[in-house]
């Protein structure tokens, strides 16, 4: 069980889905959390449910200038910033030939450039705190080629690479940077996914994952238990990226 006592975290895209599960778990484990998102009602409700340990800030990760204001809320309210979870993202699934350059640019702007802005914005506060942990939420689509994921996959491959470069550059300031690669997780991003045993028969554990299961990994990487881990890419995917799994009905 990862202990986050005394940590201050900023989690983007945390009004719902995995980001919200991370905010809940972080508070449960002793952290203070700044929850950011473009979804105001959901974000406010989540922060309210977490009490004094959480604040909501309406923040679009593509807006470079407002990043400083979001970081300032963490420092002014909770005294410092130790953890950034770059979780906000958008998703499309369509063939390459039907994907427009505008769609590719939009998805890169949110999923990759948003995280880039975030890492730059938190560096001074993290360095002042003596170091920190940045967790970039990539995807299985950032580890393998997935059909019909040219735009989303490019953004997630980019974020995986950016995480490694940042790990090299920020290590001397004691800022760790790792990427997390979820498989199919039941959230509003992919509303057609179901949960429970047998819900995803084409991967080794034969089910979709839950936001809370990703949150456990993110909490670990954010904690001091992961003090020697940086530049790593960690899957939480029921074994999907391990190799070519043959489903029961095809053996
Ligand atoms: N759900 C999956 O199957 C899955 C699989 C692999 C990776 N992921 C990744 O996990 C992360 C969390 O996704 P989720 O499944 O919880 O989906 P989600 O759609 O529930 O959550 C994403 C959140 O990001 C917010 N967001 C979108 N654009 C934003 C912007 N410009 N600025 C600020 N916030 C913005 C959304 O409002 C939403 O609350 C994402 O990075 C996603 O790409 C998801």
């Amino acid at each position: 069980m990862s202990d986050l006592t005394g940590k201050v975290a900023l989690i983007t895209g945390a009004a719902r889905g995995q980001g919200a599960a991370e905010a809940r778990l972080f508070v449960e484990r002793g952290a203070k959390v700044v929850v950011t998102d473009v979804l105001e009602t959901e974000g406010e409700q989540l922060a309210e449910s977490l009490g004094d340990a959480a604040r909501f800030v309406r923040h679009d990760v593509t807006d470079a200038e407002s990043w400083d204001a979001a970081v300032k809320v963490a420092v002014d309210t909770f005294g410092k910033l130790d953890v950034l979870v770059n979780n906000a993202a958008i998703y499309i699934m369509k063939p390459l030939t039907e994907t427009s350059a505008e769609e590719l640019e939009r998805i890169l702007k949110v999923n990759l450039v948003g995280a880039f802005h975030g890492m730059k914005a938190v560096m001074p506060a993290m360095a002042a705190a003596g170091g920190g942990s940045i967790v970039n939420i990539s995807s299985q689509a950032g580890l393998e080629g997935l059909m019909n994921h040219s735009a989303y996959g490019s953004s997630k491959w980019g974020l995986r690479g950016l995480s490694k470069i940042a790990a090299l550059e920020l290590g001397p300031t004691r800022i760790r940077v790792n990427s997390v690669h979820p498989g199919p997780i039941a959230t509003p991003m992919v509303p057609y996914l179901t949960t429970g045993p047998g819900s995803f028969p084409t991967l080794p554990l034969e089910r979709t994952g839950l936001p809370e299961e990703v949150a456990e990994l993110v909490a670990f990487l954010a904690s001091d238990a992961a003090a020697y881990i940086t530049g790593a890419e960690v899957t939480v995917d029921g074994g999907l990226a391990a190799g070519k799994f043959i489903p029961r009905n095809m053996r």
Side-chain angles (χ1 to χ4, degrees), residues 12-20 22 36-39 42 58-63 86-91 106 109-111 114 136-141 152 155-156 159 180-190 192-193 209 211 214 236:
T12 69
R16 69 180 194 196
Q18 295 174 48
E22 286 149 17
T36 78
D37 207 298
V38 290
L39 299 176
E42 293 93 327
R58 195 225 173 259
H59 175 230
D60 183 333
V61 296
T62 66
D63 180 3
N86 275 315
N87 169 78
I90 52 175
Y91 179 75
R106 174 70 193 147
K109 202 171 169 192
V110 177
N111 299 7
N136 290 326
I137 309 300
S138 177
S139 172
Q140 184 227 349
Y152 182 79
S155 74
K156 295 300 188 179
L159 186 54
V180 163
H181 298 264
I185 310 295
T187 70
M189 179 174 275
V190 270
Y192 53 83
L193 289 177
V214 179
V236 49

Side-chain angles (χ1 to χ4, degrees), residues 103 124 154 250:
E103 284 172 318
S154 300
M250 293 177 69

Side-chain angles (χ1 to χ4, degrees), residues 157-233:
W157 275 77
L159 186 54
R160 172 189 176 201
L162 180 61
S163 302
K164 293 197 188 298
I165 293 159
L168 297 174
E169 295 187 12
L170 303 186
T173 47
R174 307 294 174 256
I175 299 172
R176 299 181 292 105
V177 187
N178 295 290
S179 60
V180 163
H181 298 264
I185 310 295
T187 70
M189 179 174 275
V190 270
Y192 53 83
L193 289 177
T194 56
T195 55
S199 52
F200 210 99
T202 53
L203 59 74
L205 295 185
E206 299 180 317
R207 65 170 177 86
T208 56
L210 302 173
E212 292 75 17
E213 291 173 314
V214 179
E216 289 285 355
L217 171 59
V218 175
F220 167 68
L221 291 171
S223 76
D224 292 341
Y228 200 53
I229 301 177
T230 193
E233 51 193 47

Side-chain angles (χ1 to χ4, degrees), residues 14-16 20 24 35-50 55-59:
R16 69 180 194 196
R24 284 189 209 98
V35 169
T36 78
D37 207 298
V38 290
L39 299 176
E40 287 184 44
T41 309
E42 293 93 327
E44 293 282 10
Q45 280 170 358
L46 174 70
E48 208 170 296
S49 73
L50 296 174
R55 290 283 180 286
F56 172 71
V57 177
R58 195 225 173 259
H59 175 230

